[in-house]
């Protein structure tokens, strides 16, 4: 930071911000180690459950280690909005589903290209806001972004997306309260639920959400229509049914019981022992976190 910038910030009543030495100290590294870390990623696609593919940017081993250090030492203790359920300690797809149990109407929307449209400019602004000077903020942004946005595949991306979007979640939660609705977000999946079947409220929530998202550089996914479900339908939130309690869909429960039976009787099962153990652990997590709201 130059002398002019230093005195300008003092005149405006703002502290200069933490410098590179402080950043290196907090990350327990040398400044030169920070500056020489290269922005290297490997690109590959994975299939989506609903069809199509998702582009993943996997950081190099060196960069991933640096990002994990940033996540653990700089971002881990910062607070996101209570409605942000994805990738947060103590929160999950279950806690994301719980606010919407027994609703008259469940409204789900998807943000298009959520991570990549969370821009590097916003990331740098956030680092400046939490107290870093211009040079360390720019370096942290360089280490945590790629191609102008958050790379889907970097350890820091989910946490940064949640932290940056505290104002977004605050506005959407206030929107929900104004319509006697509940709101939660799991990464790019937005869910609102209302206790009475009020079409005007649903339409208002949808329209206002689009306007709020636009202010933060986001748009709703055009290929996926607005998903509205009522009690006579299966109401799902992040893959879990919420009509009366939080539970796996009936078709999944039946399939899982059939697989367990085949394993018990020595039949030809579609899952390995390890895969079945994973499903059982997932089922136990649902039962534990949902409590009396689970079956």
């Amino acid at each position: 930071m130059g002398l002019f910038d230093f005195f300008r910030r003092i005149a405006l009543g703002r502290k200069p911000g933490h410098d590179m030495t402080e950043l290196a100290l907090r990350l327990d590294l040398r400044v030169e180690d920070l500056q020489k870390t290269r922005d290297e990623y490997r690109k590959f696609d994975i299939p989506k459950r609903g069809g199509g593919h998702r582009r993943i940017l996997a950081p190099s081993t060196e960069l991933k280690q640096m990002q994990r250090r940033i996540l653990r030492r700089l971002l881990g203790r910062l607070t996101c909005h209570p409605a942000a359920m994805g990738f947060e300690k103590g929160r999950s797809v279950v806690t994301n589903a719980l606010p919407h149990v027994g609703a008259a109407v469940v409204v789900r929307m998807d943000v298009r290209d959520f991570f990549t449209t969370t821009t590097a400019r916003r990331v740098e602004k956030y680092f400046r806001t939490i107290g870093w000077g211009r040079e360390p903020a720019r370096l942290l942004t360089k280490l945590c972004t790629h191609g102008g946005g958050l790379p889907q595949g970097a350890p820091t991306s989910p946490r940064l997306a949640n932290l940056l979007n505290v104002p977004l979640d605050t506005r959407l939660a206030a929107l929900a309260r104004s319509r006697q609705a509940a709101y939660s977000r799991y990464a790019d999946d937005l869910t609102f639920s209302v206790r009475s079947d009020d079409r005007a409220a649903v339409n208002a929530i949808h329209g206002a959400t689009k306007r709020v998202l636009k202010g933060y550089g986001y748009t709703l996914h055009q290929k996926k229509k607005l998903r509205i479900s009522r009690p006579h339908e299966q109401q799902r939130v992040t893959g879990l049914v919420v009509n009366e309690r939080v539970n796996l869909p009936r078709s999944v429960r039946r399939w899982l019981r059939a697989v367990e039976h085949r394993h018990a009787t020595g039949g030809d099962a579609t899952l390995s022992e390890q895969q079945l153990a994973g499903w059982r652990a997932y089922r136990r997590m649902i039962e534990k976190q949902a409590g009396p709201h689970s079956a």
Side-chain angles (χ1 to χ4, degrees), residues 46-116:
I46 60 173
K48 295 182 181 180
R49 286 187 302 174
H53 291 82
R54 176 177 285 108
R55 172 58 56 91
I56 300 297
L57 293 171
S60 66
T61 300
E62 180 187 16
L63 181 57
K64 181 181 288 188
Q65 290 174 347
M66 180 66 75
Q67 290 169 342
R68 284 175 173 165
R69 188 177 289 257
I70 292 170
L71 177 63
R72 184 174 63 254
R73 291 174 174 262
L74 300 186
L75 306 178
R77 295 184 179 180
L78 300 175
T79 304
C80 68
H81 194 277
M85 298 295 180
F87 316 105
E88 294 293 328
K89 186 177 181 179
R91 306 180 198 179
S92 67
V93 293
V94 180
T95 60
N96 187 56
L98 277 171
H100 311 291
V101 171
V105 185
V106 174
V107 183
R108 291 176 53 205
M109 299 171 246
D110 293 282
V111 180
R112 184 177 182 181
D113 301 326
F114 178 64
F115 287 106
T116 56

Side-chain angles (χ1 to χ4, degrees), residues 180-191:
Q180 291 75 55
Y183 163 73
S184 66
R185 178 178 62 81
Y186 195 99
D188 60 350
D189 192 346
L190 313 180
T191 305

Side-chain angles (χ1 to χ4, degrees), residues 32-58:
E32 50 266 37
D33 292 330
L34 288 168
Q35 293 173 329
K36 73 179 184 181
T37 304
R38 300 181 63 180
D39 178 22
E40 294 181 335
Y41 290 85
R42 178 173 60 89
K43 300 179 182 180
F44 61 94
D45 294 329
I46 60 173
K48 295 182 181 180
R49 286 187 302 174
H53 291 82
R54 176 177 285 108
R55 172 58 56 91
I56 300 297
L57 293 171

Side-chain angles (χ1 to χ4, degrees), residues 48 108-119 122 165 168 172 185 187-190 206-227:
K48 295 182 181 180
R108 291 176 53 205
M109 299 171 246
D110 293 282
V111 180
R112 184 177 182 181
D113 301 326
F114 178 64
F115 287 106
T116 56
T117 54
T118 303
T119 64
R122 288 183 63 204
N165 284 308
L168 169 66
L172 292 180
R185 178 178 62 81
D188 60 350
D189 192 346
L190 313 180
H206 182 222
T209 298
K210 288 195 294 184
R211 291 191 294 273
V212 171
L213 287 171
K214 184 177 180 181
Y216 294 90
Y218 298 124
T219 58
L220 290 177
H221 208 298
Q222 298 303 313
K223 292 183 180 180
K224 297 180 180 178
K225 295 181 180 179
L226 172 67
R227 285 160 291 179

